[in-house]
Structures are given as structure tokens and as C-alpha cells.
Amino acid sequence: MKITFYGQACFSIETKGKTILTDPFISGNPLAQHINVEDIQADFILLSHGHQDHILDAVSIAKRTGAKVIAPYEVHVWAQSQGIENTHPLNPGGKWDFEFGTVLCVVAIHSSSFPDNSYAGTPVGFVIWNEEMSVYFAGDTALTMDMKLIPMLCPPLDVAILPIGDNFTMDVKGAVIASDFVACPKVIGCHYDTFGFIKIDHEEARNAFEAAGKELILLDIGKPFEV
Ligand code: NI
Ligand code: MN
């Protein structure tokens, strides 16, 4: 599978000829100013919760590409209200088979509201798998014991995409433990550096994973990566 990082929690995951885009926040990201939102392709858009740094470009990309928006119930209702008809609601514990594979919606410990402060339901993470890949996209979350359920319910993960920026989510230390909980030593970090509260030391973060016998991958924004 090919994974491209577009900053914050936005990833493009290409598998089985389909492109799955997570939490598009590009036009408002000072670190992603070299990315043209108009160039981003998507067949499916996964939204983990309603915060601005996860949904900002979702409507424009969904309308231009016709991508199906997969999101927790309240975010799906919001997407519909924005004129996106092609949506699918998923709440924690539920899964569905799409053309590219299965998506299991999992627990995330965080908050969720829309930029206008209205209620956006519960935040979630997703595990995505098919015959050739299995990936956990944690969304914004604290370290939680619920992560231990993932290896019981899903095929072995090739990679786990975990937030590591602290303040709004777990930090690097939490992500090292999360990597144990989900039984996946290969981690792609997200939700760091974008704003002042979540700036991290990259070398320190990589070393913490290495000391635990794991690998932390910090991707360059816009550069494809093969897993
Ligand atoms: Ni958030
Ligand atoms: Mn966030």
C-alpha cells in the first residue's frame, strides 16, 4: 500500500486501486502550504471527528471528487447538511465492507465538536484492512486500554498511525505503549508540529521508539511512502 502524509492527521492510503483520504486539513495547515488541495484525489474520505483540524477541506474534496464520506453518525449528518449525499455513518464497534476492504470503527478518547461549537458526536478511530494490508488510523485519542481489542478483532496490522503530539492527544511515551497494545511495532506519527502546543523533538521521539525495539516513521508532507 502507498501512504502519503498531507499534514496533521491527513493521509492518503492507496490500496486495491482506491484512494482513501483521512481527516483532510490542508489549506489551513501552515506546514502544508506546498500542497494544492485541488490536486488531492479520493475515492473515500474517513473523518474521525468534527474538529477543524480534521474536516476543514472535507467538503470541497468530497464535492470535487465524489468520494464517499465515512464518519461517525453526527459527522455524517453534518456532511449531508453540507450537500454531500455520498456518505456512510459508522459508530464505534461497527464495521462495514467497502470496495477497498473492511473498515472497523473503534473507540477514541477525545472530544468532538464542529467549528461552530455544535455537537459532533463521539470521536473515533478506524482499522482498515483487505487481503493485502491492515492499518490502524487512531484519530485524535488518549492512550486507552480499548486499543488492546484491536488485535483480537482485526488481522495483524502492517502499520499503526498514531498521534504523538501531546496536549490534545497522547504523547510519544503513550504511543510507544499503544504500539504494544495494538501489537504493531511499525508506527507512523501524526498530530505533531502543526501548532505551538504540539511541537515535538523528532530525534527524541524516534529514539524513544527505538529504545523499545520499535520504529517511528515521521513522513515528509506530500512525499509518498510504500508500506
Ligand atoms: Ni481533535
Ligand atoms: Mn486534532
mmCIF file of all heavy atoms in Angstrom, residues 49 51 53-54 110-111 140 191, ligand 1:
data_model
loop_
_atom_site.group_PDB
_atom_site.id
_atom_site.type_symbol
_atom_site.label_atom_id
_atom_site.label_comp_id
_atom_site.label_asym_id
_atom_site.label_seq_id
_atom_site.Cartn_x
_atom_site.Cartn_y
_atom_site.Cartn_z
ATOM 1 N N HIS A 49 -13.519 12.830 13.563
ATOM 2 C CA HIS A 49 -14.348 13.671 14.442
ATOM 3 C C HIS A 49 -14.513 15.052 13.818
ATOM 4 O O HIS A 49 -14.020 15.303 12.722
ATOM 5 C CB HIS A 49 -13.776 13.741 15.864
ATOM 6 C CG HIS A 49 -12.413 14.346 16.002
ATOM 7 N ND1 HIS A 49 -11.285 13.797 15.434
ATOM 8 C CD2 HIS A 49 -11.990 15.456 16.650
ATOM 9 C CE1 HIS A 49 -10.231 14.534 15.729
ATOM 10 N NE2 HIS A 49 -10.624 15.558 16.451
ATOM 11 N N HIS A 51 -13.570 18.191 14.691
ATOM 12 C CA HIS A 51 -12.678 19.340 14.876
ATOM 13 C C HIS A 51 -12.125 19.858 13.546
ATOM 14 O O HIS A 51 -11.869 19.086 12.625
ATOM 15 C CB HIS A 51 -11.522 18.974 15.829
ATOM 16 C CG HIS A 51 -11.966 18.829 17.261
ATOM 17 N ND1 HIS A 51 -11.270 18.104 18.198
ATOM 18 C CD2 HIS A 51 -13.054 19.338 17.901
ATOM 19 C CE1 HIS A 51 -11.896 18.175 19.372
ATOM 20 N NE2 HIS A 51 -12.989 18.905 19.203
ATOM 21 N N ASP A 53 -9.301 20.878 12.548
ATOM 22 C CA ASP A 53 -8.047 20.344 12.002
ATOM 23 C C ASP A 53 -8.208 18.918 11.474
ATOM 24 O O ASP A 53 -7.208 18.230 11.228
ATOM 25 C CB ASP A 53 -6.911 20.426 13.045
ATOM 26 C CG ASP A 53 -7.213 19.660 14.314
ATOM 27 O OD1 ASP A 53 -8.358 19.727 14.801
ATOM 28 O OD2 ASP A 53 -6.301 18.982 14.836
ATOM 29 N N HIS A 54 -9.479 18.483 11.274
ATOM 30 C CA HIS A 54 -9.743 17.157 10.718
ATOM 31 C C HIS A 54 -10.758 17.193 9.578
ATOM 32 O O HIS A 54 -10.865 16.241 8.813
ATOM 33 C CB HIS A 54 -10.215 16.203 11.828
ATOM 34 C CG HIS A 54 -9.155 16.013 12.872
ATOM 35 N ND1 HIS A 54 -8.342 14.910 12.922
ATOM 36 C CD2 HIS A 54 -8.723 16.844 13.856
ATOM 37 C CE1 HIS A 54 -7.466 15.063 13.911
ATOM 38 N NE2 HIS A 54 -7.681 16.228 14.489
ATOM 39 N N HIS A 110 -11.344 11.378 23.309
ATOM 40 C CA HIS A 110 -11.066 12.751 22.863
ATOM 41 C C HIS A 110 -12.372 13.523 23.023
ATOM 42 O O HIS A 110 -13.251 13.099 23.783
ATOM 43 C CB HIS A 110 -10.589 12.664 21.406
ATOM 44 C CG HIS A 110 -10.039 13.929 20.810
ATOM 45 N ND1 HIS A 110 -8.929 14.555 21.307
ATOM 46 C CD2 HIS A 110 -10.433 14.662 19.744
ATOM 47 C CE1 HIS A 110 -8.666 15.634 20.559
ATOM 48 N NE2 HIS A 110 -9.568 15.729 19.612
ATOM 49 N N SER A 111 -12.537 14.641 22.345
ATOM 50 C CA SER A 111 -13.818 15.340 22.306
ATOM 51 C C SER A 111 -14.173 15.542 20.840
ATOM 52 O O SER A 111 -13.366 15.262 19.963
ATOM 53 C CB SER A 111 -13.703 16.684 23.026
ATOM 54 O OG SER A 111 -12.767 17.512 22.357
ATOM 55 N N ASP A 140 -7.669 11.319 16.799
ATOM 56 C CA ASP A 140 -7.166 12.007 17.996
ATOM 57 C C ASP A 140 -7.591 11.179 19.199
ATOM 58 O O ASP A 140 -8.786 10.987 19.427
ATOM 59 C CB ASP A 140 -7.793 13.403 18.125
ATOM 60 C CG ASP A 140 -7.146 14.416 17.207
ATOM 61 O OD1 ASP A 140 -6.278 14.030 16.401
ATOM 62 O OD2 ASP A 140 -7.511 15.608 17.290
ATOM 63 N N HIS A 191 -0.315 14.251 14.030
ATOM 64 C CA HIS A 191 -0.805 15.232 15.003
ATOM 65 C C HIS A 191 0.326 15.814 15.854
ATOM 66 O O HIS A 191 0.246 15.842 17.084
ATOM 67 C CB HIS A 191 -1.895 14.608 15.885
ATOM 68 C CG HIS A 191 -3.009 15.549 16.249
ATOM 69 N ND1 HIS A 191 -2.950 16.368 17.353
ATOM 70 C CD2 HIS A 191 -4.179 15.833 15.651
ATOM 71 C CE1 HIS A 191 -4.055 17.074 17.425
ATOM 72 N NE2 HIS A 191 -4.819 16.788 16.390
HETATM 73 NI NI NI B 1 -9.401 16.838 17.754
#
